[in-house]
Amino acid sequence: DSSTLPAGEETARCRGTSVAERGNSSTAAASVSEDALMSDSDGGSGQTSVRQPQHLQAGQTSASYRLPNPDTSSRRAPAPAPNRLVQPGEGWTNGAIPVHTNCDDVDCTDASCNPATATKKSRVSFIPLREEMDEDETKTTGIALVDIDSLDKFIGEVIEKHARECREGHLKVKSQTKNGYELDRNYACSTCGMEVTYRTGPPPDPNAPKTKGRFKPRPINTIMSVGIFNCGAPMQHIRELFAESGVISPSEKGQAKMMEKVQASVKKVSQEELVSNRKQHVAACRALNDYAGDHKFKDGEGVEHSIARGPITTDGNGEKRAYGHIITGQQHALVCISAVTGMPIAIWHDQISCIRCSLKLTQLMKDGEVERVQDLSAADLSHEGTCYRNSKHSPASAEENAMASLAEYLLVDPKTGKIRPDDEAILGDFVIADGDTRGPLRFISRQAELVGDSWKGKAQYCPDIGHFIKCISNALFTLANKNTELRGKNLLEPVRIKVLVSDILKYIRDYGADYKAYVSTDKSKLDEARARCLRRIENLIHHHCGDHGGCEMGDCKYLQIEDEIVAQYTEEFGDSKSREEIIALKLMDIREKYADNSRFSGMSMSMGQNARKKVLGVIFSRITPECIDRVCLCLSSNPCENFFSVLVKYTSGKRVYLGKKDGWEVRLNFVAASKSNNRLTDEVRADLNIKETSFVREKSTNLKLKRKAYQAAYKKSEGCKKRRTLQ
């Protein structure tokens, strides 16, 4: 082992070993530089490199010949020659690597070019040949990902050509090296001396722009990294899958480096998509038939602005749903979606954790420089690199502050500190939210501060109708749990509460139709419709208690049956009796038929007047004449809820693995941009200089988009709506 010899003996041994002997070692040809992992070590000069004996110069052997590296003058640093490593020796992957320091010729006899010992360790993994392994036929070398077109090209241009020109020779694998997901197989012919390297991945794009650093990323490694990110599976799981299946794959560190590049590209492309979504929202708002017009004002510098107004919906969520769990998460996200276009227009992210701050704190405690965390200041935790902590608010209390920050973000460009252009800046005149915090009011107040007092009173908060009804339901459940006289059979049972809130929602929706019809045309009819809605809600409790005196005919099954039986009696016996007399005479028939055709088999709640007042007090504490005009619009923040449901796919379910760096923030932007662009991955690939696309990928993508479009159309169809309707 040359790595264990003294410098003099190592040099002598190197000079005394012939190039041919060194070339026969499978590890010698497999050796490449440390930085070559997941990169193109020869600068991307081509898929195969062929060395023909007729090009050899005087004194040069076929084993040491290398094709010249093309176009190295334009690079900042030349790519290293493939055979700078000399006689690595047994166990070289864990030891020092002998290299030539002044030239690339391993046959050089100049004393100044004697091999020196490098200090870095190699992370390159070479794959042994089949004949070097056990003779057990059940053991195979492994599985490699192969680009079909490159394989056909190699067979046609190299294998067949060699077979025609060298009829007695055979190309045999001399060594093979793993570079990420790509396998480099070095072939040699002992008869004609031909040597060629075949790479299993697709060739690099010769027209791709130059990248920083010494090496270009190999296309297959970039393609696989984008695919891993897009499928939403954790990187560790993918590596375990490939390792268990015996597929060629990169090291953990190599894959992590490539994923960092992919995430940077994803964040860039996603934010550009959100800018486009904001511009589409502004254009869509101005195109509405009932658009109230832009809000015009002057900023502090005297510049006039004309900002579009429009409805938006928002919702916040933590890195982890922490209900009944000791892990509460360290990040919070707020998504804002246009209520006109349905596209996400902004993401606001708060994070109180940083991996580098944690490492710095650990080091301080290890060195004994700090005894209590309370004694630390921000300066004590200063460190090199990006600090991922951008907020001081925990996820439990971050939403209200995030809403104020989002209000400013939609108007002010954080890079310049100035009002955004008129085609991008957004004023929210209707802020739709779930109402579990005062965040919407903070949003409206902050935007009014930025654009002036003239905006005050023009924006309003609209509760999400689903959360609004849920709050009433929860309040009734709480009332029943705290009051034993309201809990039990024929009282506030769970099924009864569900029916109550369902009827309340129906009455609110009915009033919403009247509100839209009369709000700008007839105020008196609007007042009558509002009073009717509140009266129907009040009579609902009495109806369930068996008192149908205040019910409307269309709402009450009991009155409908009563009217039907009175009509039958009048038709059979004439008008000899009054309606009250007929009802008293046929009371048992009415109740029997009502029991057969009504919910709860005609059983009513056993509540007195005081109990009814308690229930009505809970309902009307939330439904008031002042707020019902906003509630009746029945606006929804479900798109925001759907956003966080999709996010779970990309964040490993419980979302506890992405709390120290910016992985969760990147995925937030990616999901938001993907909601408006089904082919966002194409833009990410283009940003990473992946120009090619395969037939297999296009076919699978088109099939996925076709299925997605079918499902979206089906959900809007009448057949789907009928299936969801209770009969």
Side-chain angles (χ1 to χ4, degrees):
D1 188 351
S2 61
S3 63
T4 61
L5 296 176
E9 297 182 20
E10 178 187 349
T11 304
R13 178 174 177 176
C14 179
R15 287 198 298 267
T17 306
S18 67
V19 177
E21 292 173 350
R22 292 196 298 271
N24 289 333
S25 172
S26 62
T27 59
S31 307
V32 291
S33 117
E34 173 187 16
D35 296 329
L37 185 61
M38 303 186 71
S39 65
D40 188 352
S41 58
D42 67 354
S45 57
Q47 184 64 12
T48 60
S49 57
V50 183
R51 297 189 293 276
Q52 297 289 359
Q54 59 267 29
H55 298 297
L56 299 180
Q57 301 176 3
Q60 198 172 27
T61 64
S62 62
S64 64
Y65 179 78
R66 296 292 186 273
L67 285 178
N69 194 7
D71 192 25
T72 57
S73 58
S74 60
R75 300 181 182 176
R76 297 186 178 181
N83 64 336
R84 291 191 62 180
L85 302 179
V86 181
Q87 189 65 22
E90 186 178 358
W92 63 276
T93 53
N94 295 320
I97 306 172
V99 299
H100 274 262
T101 56
N102 297 331
C103 74
D104 295 334
D105 187 4
V106 295
D107 290 331
C108 179
T109 57
D110 189 351
S112 62
C113 290
N114 287 339
T117 300
T119 58
K120 295 182 179 180
K121 294 182 178 180
S122 174
R123 292 191 298 268
V124 175
S125 299
F126 71 92
I127 309 299
L129 302 181
R130 182 68 184 89
E131 54 268 19
E132 297 174 350
M133 297 187 295
D134 298 336
E135 296 182 358
D136 186 358
E137 295 182 356
T138 61
K139 293 184 179 180
T140 62
T141 304
I143 303 172
L145 303 177
V146 178
D147 180 70
I148 298 175
D149 295 339
S150 297
L151 177 61
D152 292 342
K153 185 177 181 181
F154 177 75
I155 294 174
E157 297 182 0
V158 178
I159 302 294
E160 294 180 358
K161 180 180 179 182
H162 175 266
R164 289 191 298 267
E165 296 179 355
C166 182
R167 297 183 179 275
E168 297 181 359
H170 298 281
L171 281 176
K172 294 184 178 181
V173 180
K174 184 179 179 181
S175 62
Q176 47 192 7
T177 307
K178 173 176 72 71
N179 285 273
Y181 292 98
E182 193 165 48
L183 183 65
D184 292 353
R185 308 199 78 196
N186 302 311
Y187 292 84
C189 177
S190 58
T191 303
C192 66
M194 176 183 177
E195 293 186 5
V196 61
T197 299
Y198 165 63
R199 294 178 178 174
T200 56
D205 181 10
N207 300 321
K210 302 296 181 181
T211 57
K212 296 181 180 180
R214 297 183 64 184
F215 305 106
K216 292 181 180 179
R218 296 204 176 190
I220 189 172
N221 296 324
T222 306
I223 291 171
M224 290 297 297
S225 299
V226 174
I228 290 173
F229 183 92
N230 187 48
C231 74
M235 183 182 67
Q236 295 86 344
H237 294 182
I238 296 295
R239 291 190 66 254
E240 291 175 5
L241 169 65
F242 285 153
E244 183 66 25
S245 305
V247 180
I248 297 295
S249 58
S251 65
E252 182 177 0
K253 190 169 185 179
Q255 181 67 79
K257 286 185 177 180
M258 182 54 67
M259 290 302 295
E260 289 180 358
K261 297 180 181 179
V262 171
Q263 289 189 169
S265 178
V266 166
K267 188 173 182 179
K268 171 189 171 185
V269 171
S270 300
Q271 290 179 346
E272 291 174 353
E273 182 70 19
L274 292 180
V275 171
S276 175
N277 290 350
R278 287 195 287 271
K279 292 181 179 181
Q280 293 184 45
H281 167 81
V282 171
C285 289
R286 289 171 174 163
L288 294 174
N289 294 329
D290 56 349
Y291 182 59
D294 289 2
H295 179 74
K296 300 180 180 181
F297 69 99
K298 289 184 178 181
D299 60 16
E301 298 179 356
V303 180
E304 293 186 356
H305 298 277
S306 181
I307 308 299
R309 65 178 78 187
I312 61 172
T313 174
T314 66
D315 191 20
N317 214 329
E319 171 195 5
K320 180 187 178 300
R321 292 190 180 274
Y323 304 134
H325 201 287
I326 60 174
I327 302 177
T328 59
Q330 297 168 319
Q331 299 183 79
H332 178 271
L334 186 69
V335 59
C336 180
I337 298 179
S338 167
V340 181
T341 64
M343 299 180 182
I345 55 179
I347 293 289
W348 187 263
H349 171 253
D350 288 300
Q351 183 169 341
I352 60 174
S353 61
C354 173
I355 184 62
R356 293 189 173 96
C357 291
S358 299
L359 294 175
K360 182 69 174 181
L361 175 61
T362 302
Q363 186 63 39
L364 291 175
M365 298 180 67
K366 182 179 179 181
D367 296 341
E369 298 182 15
V370 61
E371 295 182 358
R372 301 189 311 165
V373 178
Q374 294 85 341
D375 298 334
L376 288 173
S377 63
D380 296 329
L381 295 179
S382 59
H383 54 74
E384 296 180 356
T386 303
C387 183
Y388 298 103
R389 178 185 173 96
N390 60 12
S391 175
K392 62 180 181 180
H393 305 290
S394 68
S397 60
E399 184 166 343
E400 292 187 12
N401 297 282
M403 286 291 288
S405 300
L406 176 66
E408 182 175 349
Y409 179 79
L410 292 177
L411 290 174
V412 180
D413 188 346
K415 297 180 179 179
T416 62
K418 297 181 179 180
I419 299 294
R420 294 182 184 273
D422 292 349
D423 64 342
E424 184 183 350
I426 295 174
L427 276 172
D429 57 355
F430 286 90
V431 182
I432 309 165
D434 51 21
D436 52 5
T437 68
R438 294 188 297 271
L441 302 180
R442 292 280 300 274
F443 180 97
I444 295 172
S445 176
R446 181 56 183 155
Q447 286 207 328
E449 293 176 5
L450 293 172
V451 302
D453 296 339
S454 58
W455 181 247
K456 290 184 177 180
K458 295 184 178 180
Q460 56 180 327
Y461 156 61
C462 297
D464 168 68
I465 186 62
H467 283 81
F468 182 82
I469 294 299
K470 184 182 72 173
C471 289
I472 296 177
S473 176
N474 292 343
L476 292 177
F477 274 103
T478 302
L479 180 67
N481 291 333
K482 291 184 177 180
N483 297 270
T484 56
E485 68 274 13
L486 299 178
R487 182 176 67 246
K489 184 66 175 177
N490 294 332
L491 291 170
L492 286 181
E493 303 170 90
V495 178
R496 182 79 67 169
I497 293 176
K498 291 181 180 180
V499 171
L500 286 173
V501 297
S502 176
D503 289 340
I504 291 174
L505 177 60
K506 177 180 180 299
Y507 299 157
I508 292 176
R509 291 186 183 277
D510 291 345
Y511 172 59
D514 295 335
Y515 178 85
K516 295 175 182 178
Y518 303 135
V519 65
S520 58
T521 58
D522 195 331
K523 296 296 182 181
S524 61
K525 289 186 177 180
L526 179 63
D527 294 338
E528 293 177 3
R530 185 187 304 110
R532 175 175 176 262
C533 176
L534 297 174
R535 185 172 60 251
R536 294 172 74 188
I537 295 175
E538 180 180 3
N539 290 331
L540 179 63
I541 303 302
H542 301 302
H543 167 83
H544 279 268
C545 292
D547 184 0
H548 306 287
C551 296
E552 294 186 1
M553 182 65 68
D555 298 335
C556 183
K557 190 71 175 178
Y558 186 89
L559 292 183
Q560 295 173 9
I561 293 175
E562 189 180 75
D563 189 67
E564 179 183 346
I565 290 181
V566 169
Q568 292 177 355
Y569 185 89
T570 303
E571 181 180 357
E572 183 177 356
F573 299 102
D575 298 333
S576 59
K577 295 182 181 294
S578 64
R579 180 182 178 87
E580 289 75 15
E581 291 176 337
I582 297 174
I583 292 175
L585 181 64
K586 294 290 185 178
L587 183 60
M588 296 303 297
D589 294 340
I590 294 174
R591 290 180 176 178
E592 182 178 351
K593 190 172 183 178
Y594 178 68
D596 294 337
N597 294 274
S598 67
R599 295 176 292 193
F600 306 105
S601 300
M603 300 298 294
S604 59
M605 294 191 296
S606 302
M607 285 187 183
Q609 293 298 326
N610 291 333
R612 298 183 195 180
K613 288 182 180 179
K614 289 183 179 180
V615 176
L616 290 173
V618 168
I619 295 175
F620 284 110
S621 66
R622 290 161 175 80
I623 303 177
T624 63
E626 292 76 20
C627 77
I628 195 171
D629 287 353
R630 291 183 284 116
V631 175
C632 72
L633 297 176
C634 296
L635 301 177
S636 175
S637 62
N638 281 346
C640 297
E641 300 289 342
N642 177 259
F643 168 84
F644 286 106
S645 298
V646 177
L647 178 64
V648 173
K649 169 190 172 182
Y650 296 93
T651 53
S652 306
K654 289 292 185 180
R655 299 171 281 176
V656 296
Y657 303 114
L658 303 168
K660 290 294 186 180
K661 296 180 72 175
D662 61 344
W664 200 57
E665 181 186 7
V666 171
R667 285 159 177 80
L668 285 168
N669 286 274
F670 179 75
V671 173
S674 299
K675 296 283 288 182
S676 59
N677 186 353
N678 290 324
R679 302 300 297 259
L680 185 69
T681 309
D682 293 351
E683 298 184 18
V684 175
R685 290 163 62 96
D687 187 69
L688 292 169
N689 300 320
I690 304 175
K691 304 299 182 182
E692 62 87 28
T693 182
S694 66
F695 167 80
V696 176
R697 177 177 179 271
E698 283 298 314
K699 183 178 180 180
S700 301
T701 302
N702 293 334
L703 180 62
K704 180 179 68 174
L705 296 179
K706 182 179 179 180
R707 186 183 299 112
K708 184 177 180 180
Y710 170 79
Q711 292 174 349
Y714 174 71
K715 290 179 180 179
K716 296 179 181 180
S717 64
E718 292 297 328
C720 179
K721 294 179 181 179
K722 289 181 179 179
R723 290 189 62 184
R724 295 181 178 181
T725 303
L726 295 177
Q727 301 297 331

